Amino acid sequence: MQAVKITAHGGTDVIEYGEYPDPEVGRDEVLVAVKAGALNHLDVWVRRGLPTLSLGMPHVPGSDAAGVVREVGEDVTRFEPGDRVAVTAGVNCGDCEFCRHGDPTLCVNFHLLGEHVTGVHSEYAAVPEDNLIPVPDGVDWVTAGASALVFQTAWRMLIDRADLEAGESVLVLGASGGVGHAAVQIADYAGAEVYATGSTPEKLEYAQKLGADHVVNYEERSFPQWVREETGKRGVDVVVDYIGAGTWQDSIKSLAKNGRLVTCGGTAGGNPQTDIPRIFWNQLRIIGSTMGTPGQVDDVMELVWDGTFEPAIRKVLPMSETARGHEIIEGREGFGKVVVRPDEVY
């Protein structure tokens, strides 16, 4: 088959599209003919290399995809050939204390398809049955392949971990990014007053269309100062910050007393300076979040399937141009998701 391959850690020149061995289908796995898959910032980090990541090369990346079931392993019960499915990338052991208590995202062996093991940006992918969800007939492949990772992540961050309530205020940083644009929609759906940051008038206009009530260009104004002005010096109840080093202290400054900062990553750096005096004096909470449970995935994806939430698509490319997709993400060109499709179906 043809697959996207990373031949080494480095720049976009290490990305290739070419022949790769066909996947073998395990007893609990499903062979999926991939129709579309989305790039995430995670793919950039995997390509560049992470200190704790040890991968055999070449490595097939990709944590988002959707397609048609071609074959099922003998222990598979939920799917059959011809079914339409989407990938949800979190893999757990099912046996540790956290899995047994119902939260597999806390699994001691939790890992992601495409990051720690072979991903799904290829013509065919063998995926564990538990890592697939049904896709309704009316949903197009680009939407199906672009939604699961960012919407489950943003849903868990806001609805579960931050315990967002109607009437509260939320600041979403990078509102035009993958997780950011999902978070704006979810916060608006939950009945929150939504504040959002962006770097261009086009991105801010799009954030407003998604449900943001207040927007600011962070390259022109200090966003914590803007938040204080907009809220009568109070601050917001929740900040969504997946950017990290470049925004961390300003995010803390933007919070009201007893506020919550929820994070799922650090795209601009993972070791920021912090503000312990402000954290303890204002009794702030710093909350981490990763992916979503199966129930959370089901809940949020139902709202994607019925059109309540919609992934923004900034570009659709053939998989042979995946390197260009990485450049778009790294260059912060446009807003929304970059989708790649196998060249044969592009």
Side-chain angles (χ1 to χ4, degrees):
M1 68 174 181
Q2 299 291 300
V4 178
K5 298 178 289 185
I6 297 172
T7 58
H9 293 304
T12 56
D13 58 314
V14 304
I15 302 172
E16 297 181 358
Y17 184 68
E19 290 188 358
Y20 192 82
D22 292 336
E24 297 183 2
V25 182
R27 296 175 62 95
D28 65 343
E29 291 184 327
V30 173
L31 182 67
V32 179
V34 175
K35 301 299 183 183
L39 295 175
N40 294 286
H41 214 102
L42 174 63
D43 295 297
V44 173
W45 286 112
V46 171
R47 188 205 78 219
R48 292 176 180 172
L50 295 165
T52 59
L53 196 60
S54 178
L55 295 173
M57 297 294 176
H59 172 71
V60 176
S63 303
D64 264 327
V68 178
V69 174
R70 286 288 179 256
E71 179 185 338
V72 298
E74 55 191 287
D75 292 341
V76 172
T77 60
R78 294 173 52 232
F79 301 103
E80 58 186 29
D83 285 349
R84 292 161 51 92
V85 295
V87 173
T88 176
V91 182
N92 63 85
C93 72
D95 294 325
C96 71
E97 61 174 303
F98 301 104
C99 288
R100 291 198 306 271
H101 282 87
D103 196 339
T105 68
L106 296 173
C107 175
V108 297
N109 294 309
F110 192 74
H111 58 280
L112 298 182
L113 301 176
E115 179 180 10
H116 307 93
V117 295
T118 301
V120 292
H121 286 176
S122 50
E123 289 182 315
Y124 295 93
V127 182
E129 177 183 25
D130 289 345
N131 289 94
L132 294 172
I133 56 175
V135 176
D137 287 338
V139 178
D140 67 89
W141 287 123
V142 170
T143 295
S147 303
L149 190 146
V150 294
F151 277 96
Q152 69 175 287
T153 298
W155 183 268
R156 178 174 173 85
M157 288 174 77
L158 286 168
I159 304 302
D160 177 72
R161 300 292 288 152
D163 196 20
L164 181 65
E165 296 182 357
E168 290 192 306
S169 52
V170 178
L171 170 65
V172 179
L173 304 187
S176 64
V179 170
H181 90 294
V184 169
Q185 294 178 68
I186 291 167
D188 179 57
Y189 174 82
E193 186 167 6
V194 184
Y195 298 77
T197 72
S199 59
T200 69
E202 293 78 15
K203 291 179 180 180
L204 296 177
E205 181 180 357
Y206 187 72
Q208 288 178 306
K209 290 180 179 178
L210 293 178
D213 301 293
H214 314 271
V215 295
V216 70
N217 187 325
Y218 64 83
E219 293 189 344
E220 296 178 352
R221 290 203 61 189
S222 163
F223 74 79
Q225 181 180 358
W226 169 77
V227 166
R228 292 290 170 182
E229 291 174 1
E230 292 288 321
T231 60
K233 298 184 179 180
R234 177 184 183 274
V236 295
D237 298 299
V238 176
V239 173
V240 174
D241 186 342
Y242 58 90
I243 298 169
T247 56
W248 192 256
Q249 286 188 304
D250 283 344
S251 291
I252 291 172
K253 292 176 183 178
S254 300
L255 285 167
K257 293 252 185 178
N258 201 35
R260 293 97 77 195
L261 191 163
V262 61
T263 181
C264 66
T267 59
N271 293 290
Q273 288 188 328
T274 192
D275 189 344
I276 292 175
R278 190 183 295 268
I279 291 171
F280 75 72
W281 189 255
N282 289 344
Q283 302 185 56
L284 307 179
R285 283 170 280 174
I286 309 298
I287 305 168
S289 187
T290 296
M291 300 296 284
T293 66
Q296 290 162 358
V297 172
D298 289 344
D299 288 345
V300 72
M301 293 308 293
E302 283 298 321
L303 295 168
V304 174
W305 303 149
D306 71 13
T308 301
F309 300 146
E310 182 178 357
I313 307 300
R314 69 174 107 175
K315 193 74 173 178
V316 179
L317 299 167
M319 284 188 178
S320 59
E321 296 182 21
T322 295
R324 172 61 186 141
H326 281 234
E327 291 172 354
I328 291 171
I329 292 173
E330 291 179 288
R332 295 160 54 207
E333 300 176 29
F335 46 81
K337 302 289 291 181
V338 176
V339 175
V340 292
R341 307 191 71 179
D343 283 40
E344 67 168 3
V345 300
Y346 176 72

